[in-house]
Amino acid sequence: MTDYFDRVKEYVLDLDLTFVREDAGDELIVVDDEERGIKGLIIDCEDPILVLEQFILRVPKTPGDLFR
């Protein structure tokens, strides 16, 4: 576990987000706060890059103008 991962975890705790899952080996955190629109937010700590992944919407089978 790196200092970078620990720092990100402290930020998440300061934001009062609920830890759903934590994988210290892969330096991953999954958090929730549905009142603020956060559901299953994946935080991946790849020093020096921080990757945030959040489900936004399902893509329809015939997307039409979705990608324009």
Side-chain angles (χ1 to χ4, degrees):
M1 191 160 36
T2 65
D3 291 334
Y4 185 70
F5 182 60
D6 290 334
R7 186 180 323 160
V8 171
K9 281 177 45 178
E10 286 186 31
Y11 289 147
V12 169
L13 290 171
D14 287 345
L15 291 169
D16 200 28
L17 297 172
T18 303
F19 281 74
V20 175
R21 196 182 79 153
E22 176 182 341
D23 185 341
D26 287 333
E27 298 184 332
L28 278 170
I29 306 168
V30 180
V31 297
D32 276 348
D33 187 338
E34 291 191 48
E35 289 182 13
R36 292 190 270 179
I38 299 170
K39 175 75 174 149
L41 174 66
I42 300 169
I43 304 172
D44 186 3
C45 304
E46 300 293 334
D47 189 13
I49 299 169
L50 182 67
V51 179
L52 303 173
E53 297 179 27
Q54 173 70 58
F55 175 78
I56 305 297
L57 63 101
R58 294 199 186 281
V59 176
K61 290 185 181 191
T62 55
D65 293 329
L66 182 66
F67 296 112
R68 291 186 195 165

